Amino acid sequence: ALRQDGVGAVTCLYRGRGDAGFWSHVAAAGPSWQFLPGAVFGVALGIAQPCMGSTIALRRETLERIGGFARFADILADDHAIGVAVRELGLKVVVPPMLVTHASTEASLGALWRHELRWGATVRELVPGATYAASIIAYPLPIALLALPFAPVAGLVATVAALASRLAVALVADRIGGGRTASLLLLPLRDGISFAIFIASFFARSVDWRGARLTMSGNGRVLAETEIPHS
């Protein structure tokens, strides 16, 4: 893909794989059952221009032309910013027809929460407020469950329909990904956690990065409150 004329960078969609027990499988279901279908939909319709840190390939010449990695050192969504910079050169960022596997290693709910809240806060910084708020439609099952106490019959119908549609999406995503990400019994829990993180992302003003606390300082930039450990 990088050899094509006019292409400045290549980025890959990804699925999840749990590598550290129960919570890592719950975490892996997020990329497979939530992120991947939305990303495929956005790319297919041309309404998304992704550049994702899971995989970015570009030539050294292109990297130097956009200012090197140092230019993006204090930007929370550094991967997205790299894509924007490449496109500003008049080059394309393309998504090849392949998936990479993201190995989830979250061993606890807390680790999952900290990791995905950073993802949620990052997306909130990139997407205009009203548009980001409108993405609540991506969580039909939790919304339907919340409706149950107020409209039991309609809420039950909505819950069954939402659960059926989400199960269908998960099955298709896993078939395309080449294997079962997690037990389908985890889907309601996974969707509930995703919805809670979506709500929490509106209030997040700092995020965790491998044990370091990063304060969001506006304009997509972050400041480190603690020294970031090297790996």
Side-chain angles (χ1 to χ4, degrees), residues 30-195:
S32 292
W33 299 346
Q34 192 80 39
F35 160 77
L36 182 58
V40 169
F41 181 81
V43 171
L45 294 186
I47 59 177
Q49 294 184 321
C51 188
M52 295 162 292
S54 55
T55 303
I56 300 174
L58 71 168
R59 295 182 177 83
R60 181 181 297 276
E61 174 190 0
T62 304
L63 178 61
E64 292 174 348
R65 288 179 64 191
I66 64 175
F69 289 125
R71 173 182 172 184
F72 310 99
D74 62 346
I75 297 177
L76 180 59
D78 50 355
D79 49 359
H80 178 267
I82 288 172
V84 170
V86 169
R87 293 186 185 96
E88 287 175 346
L89 297 178
L91 300 172
K92 294 182 290 185
V93 178
V94 300
V95 181
M98 60 175 286
L99 290 176
V100 297
T101 299
H102 170 78
S104 298
T105 59
E106 293 85 348
S108 67
L109 176 58
L112 185 159
W113 182 272
R114 290 188 295 272
H115 190 185
E116 297 194 10
L117 184 59
R118 175 170 60 82
W119 285 351
T122 301
V123 176
R124 189 205 71 206
E125 286 283 290
L126 295 174
V127 180
T131 303
Y132 182 66
S135 64
I136 195 172
I137 63 172
Y139 308 97
L141 183 55
I143 293 172
L145 289 171
L146 288 173
L148 277 172
F150 307 99
V153 176
L156 181 59
V157 172
T159 298
V160 172
L163 183 59
S165 66
R166 290 292 294 132
L167 285 171
V169 167
L171 287 169
V172 171
D174 281 351
R175 178 176 57 81
I176 293 173
R180 176 73 62 237
T181 300
S183 169
L184 293 175
L185 295 175
L186 295 178
L187 190 143
L189 173 63
R190 175 65 262 187
D191 278 14
I193 292 173
S194 294
F195 182 69

